[in-house]
Amino acid sequence: MVIYTLHSRLPNAKADEFYNFMTNVPAEMYANWLPEEHYEFHVVKRSNNSPKGDLFYFDQNIGKKYRMKFYAIIRVANKPNRIVFQMRKLGINLPGYLELDFSDTDDGLLLTETLRIGLNGIGKICDPFIKIVYGKRFYCVFGEHHKREWQNLSEIMQ
């Protein structure tokens, strides 16, 4: 399994605001959130337990080489501190998760973003293939994107 965890401290940001944005994306704010890298992020279908179970569509570039275009279901929605998206393609839930953990501090928001891709048990035999695509080069680009992405969101939410 590939696991990448990144941390950011965002001054003047609040966990509740970030949580609300990520579960109910205002189109006008999204249009200003890294428009050269982010193309679409919106709710496709609300669930009975919304936001848990809501289906989203993501389309963004992470750097110039990595295009992340997929659906995602919110698996965990603990307001205001945690959201977990599970990736989905062609109607199939994939073994890929984006975990966002927010916590308010005296000097702003502490954000932890974790990307998990891969299987446990016998499925670990796929790890070498996953690491070919999502290896060290991806991690570097992902880290740079993380800094730009969350700092920019913090600014447009002010």
Side-chain angles (χ1 to χ4, degrees), residues 19-39:
Y19 178 93
N20 290 338
F21 179 88
M22 295 303 296
T23 58
N24 193 22
V25 186
E28 64 282 354
M29 282 180 69
Y30 183 77
N32 295 312
W33 187 25
L34 292 183
E36 64 282 354
E37 295 177 58
H38 290 177
Y39 308 119

Side-chain angles (χ1 to χ4, degrees), residues 19-28 30 33 39-59 70-74 77 83 85:
Y19 178 93
N20 290 338
F21 179 88
M22 295 303 296
T23 58
N24 193 22
V25 186
E28 64 282 354
Y30 183 77
W33 187 25
Y39 308 119
E40 289 186 66
F41 175 47
H42 58 86
V43 176
V44 174
K45 183 179 178 185
R46 293 277 184 205
S47 75
N48 293 336
N49 297 322
S50 185
K52 187 176 177 182
D54 287 358
L55 181 66
F56 281 75
Y57 180 73
F58 285 83
D59 183 2
F70 55 88
Y71 289 88
I73 297 173
I74 294 182
I83 303 168
F85 292 95

Side-chain angles (χ1 to χ4, degrees), residues 9 20 41 46 53 63 80 82 85 90-92 103-104 106 114-115 119 126 150 158:
R9 185 169 302 281
N20 290 338
F41 175 47
R46 293 277 184 205
R82 182 169 169 77
F85 292 95
L90 303 171
I92 299 169
S103 58
D104 288 323
D106 291 338
T114 303
L115 181 63
L119 299 164
C126 296
W150 299 111
Q158 296 301 318

Side-chain angles (χ1 to χ4, degrees), residues 1 7 9 20-21 37 46 50 57-58 61 77-78 80 87-88 94 100 105 118 127 136-137 142-143 148 151:
M1 182 173 291
H7 303 278
R9 185 169 302 281
N20 290 338
F21 179 88
E37 295 177 58
R46 293 277 184 205
S50 185
Y57 180 73
F58 285 83
N61 273 342
N78 294 334
M87 296 168 204
R88 182 179 177 101
L94 302 175
L100 300 171
T105 66
D127 282 359
K136 196 182 300 185
R137 187 178 307 154
F142 181 56
R148 283 190 311 277
Q151 184 60 47

